[in-house]
Amino acid sequence: MFNMMAVALNHQVTLEDLAFSDMMFEPHANTPLNFLSDVALRALDENEARS
């Protein structure tokens, strides 16, 4: 998970990119909805609700 966070920060990944990324390559993020994509999807929902 920390590897993915480092790559996302380094490449300035957007919430949309992070929410819909395939993270199956990460050994500990091998569920369809993992921690990082779940957080990104929740943030997108909150952003949309505020608009």
Side-chain angles (χ1 to χ4, degrees), residues 13-33:
V13 173
T14 65
L15 280 176
E16 290 85 3
D17 293 337
L18 191 57
F20 299 108
S21 292
D22 180 12
M23 308 237 187
M24 294 301 196
F25 69 91
E26 278 290 323
H28 300 290
N30 59 357
T31 59
L33 191 62

Side-chain angles (χ1 to χ4, degrees), residues 4-47:
M4 184 58 191
M5 289 171 49
V7 169
L9 288 171
N10 189 40
H11 290 281
Q12 298 177 348
V13 173
T14 65
L15 280 176
E16 290 85 3
D17 293 337
L18 191 57
F20 299 108
S21 292
D22 180 12
M23 308 237 187
M24 294 301 196
F25 69 91
E26 278 290 323
H28 300 290
N30 59 357
T31 59
L33 191 62
N34 62 56
F35 173 75
L36 291 175
S37 59
D38 185 40
V39 169
L41 285 169
R42 288 177 190 221
L44 287 173
D45 285 343
E46 285 184 26
N47 265 351

